[in-house]
Amino acid sequence: MVAIAQGGQEGEADYVRLRQALIGDPTIEPLLPIFVKTCRTKLQFWGYIQPISKTYKGRREHIYGAFQRLLDFLERDGRAPADKNVTGVLEKFDAEHVHAAWAKALERRTADPEGAITSARTLLESVCKHILDEEEVAYDDKDDLPKLYRKTAEKLNIAPSQHTEDVFKMILGGCTAVVEGLGTLRNRLSDAHGKGKVAARPQPRHAELAVNLSGALTQFVLSTWEARNER
């Protein structure tokens, strides 16, 4: 785009190909400058950028400024520190479907909040089932997330009822409340169920909260299970 803005003769095919690649990425697309989305051809972009400034410097600065948010995001590896922490724990966990659920939750937070909420719930549910299977604890396929979590928590000795210190009971009780909240949020706002005529639609901030909570709980449960196995 800088080259085009300076009168370069870059090919139309390259412009279209690169633009489609960016727009087709659900993580990147929301952060793209508006002119990338509206200028479908090299000629359209030239018609946009030419009046912005009479100088090449002015056009460059306009382009750099518009891409700043996306570049900052990419330089941070596209993930917050908490994302990396959970990913690091999951790398030790040999369950492909769990990795897939986490990856989907991360990439959908902005572009597909409903899908992100569904994936966040699936992540925690999958981890609970995996641990219960490994520990040979019976559960029903129809068990919902709160029930699966309660069985997992009891097996790992992290259920509130298994502790006497008030501070531990409070924190672990909060974890249980988060799990129940995730289950309710998924049923009310995710894409897992049909909706009526008037339905609330989750925003990216709701998906961000759901994914972060699910990731934190997943990290806690897996770390606890790992520590228990080491002993």
Side-chain angles (χ1 to χ4, degrees), residues 124 149 158 160 169-181 217 220:
L124 193 53
Y149 179 79
I158 55 174
K169 290 175 70 70
M170 183 184 302
I171 292 173
L172 296 175
C175 292
T176 301
V178 166
V179 171
E180 292 174 351
L217 275 170
F220 173 59

Side-chain angles (χ1 to χ4, degrees), residues 1-36:
M1 284 186 151
V2 170
I4 294 171
Q6 297 179 150
Q9 300 301 313
E10 278 60 34
E12 176 72 19
D14 286 339
Y15 178 91
V16 172
R17 176 178 56 81
L18 292 170
R19 175 182 174 275
Q20 289 177 341
L22 292 172
I23 289 179
D25 189 316
T27 303
I28 291 176
E29 189 273 338
L31 300 173
L32 289 172
I34 188 64
F35 54 75
V36 177

Side-chain angles (χ1 to χ4, degrees), residues 29-223:
E29 189 273 338
L31 300 173
L32 289 172
I34 188 64
F35 54 75
V36 177
K37 301 178 182 181
T38 57
C39 298
R40 293 179 171 82
T41 66
K42 171 184 168 182
L43 184 60
Q44 287 179 336
F45 177 63
W46 174 250
Y48 165 84
I49 197 64
Q50 189 180 23
I52 292 294
S53 175
K54 294 181 179 179
T55 68
Y56 291 163
K57 179 182 178 182
R59 295 172 190 173
R60 288 196 302 269
E61 290 177 349
H62 178 79
I63 294 171
Y64 293 149
F67 273 97
Q68 190 63 51
R69 192 160 67 110
L70 175 57
L71 293 174
D72 288 344
F73 174 80
L74 294 174
E75 286 178 351
R76 294 196 302 268
D77 192 24
R79 299 176 295 180
D83 298 348
K84 295 182 180 181
N85 290 340
V86 176
T87 300
V89 170
L90 289 180
E91 285 176 350
K92 306 175 185 177
F93 191 64
D94 186 22
E96 185 175 346
H97 58 289
V98 172
H99 291 266
W102 178 237
K104 288 179 181 178
L106 291 179
E107 70 183 27
R108 292 177 176 179
R109 285 179 295 189
T110 300
D112 181 15
E114 293 181 349
I117 291 171
T118 297
S119 296
R121 188 253 191 195
T122 299
L123 170 68
L124 193 53
E125 183 181 75
S126 297
V127 167
C128 287
K129 286 184 175 181
H130 186 93
I131 291 175
L132 293 175
D133 287 340
E134 290 292 319
E135 296 294 331
E136 299 183 346
V137 176
Y139 62 87
D140 194 295
D141 287 337
K142 295 181 180 179
D143 286 349
D144 59 11
L145 176 59
K147 185 173 291 186
L148 290 169
Y149 179 79
R150 282 196 295 272
K151 290 184 177 182
T152 305
E154 288 173 0
K155 185 63 180 179
L156 299 181
N157 196 37
I158 55 174
S161 60
Q162 294 172 308
H163 295 264
T164 57
E165 290 285 340
D166 288 342
V167 64
F168 289 126
K169 290 175 70 70
M170 183 184 302
I171 292 173
L172 296 175
C175 292
T176 301
V178 166
V179 171
E180 292 174 351
L182 284 172
T184 301
L185 185 65
R186 185 256 189 180
N187 291 335
R188 296 287 181 84
L189 297 181
S190 77
D191 62 356
H193 297 281
K195 296 179 172 60
K197 186 175 181 180
V198 179
R201 294 187 62 83
Q203 300 300 310
R205 67 181 184 276
H206 301 135
E208 185 84 25
L209 176 62
V211 172
N212 287 346
L213 289 173
S214 178
L217 275 170
T218 296
Q219 181 180 2
F220 173 59
V221 169
L222 287 176
S223 296

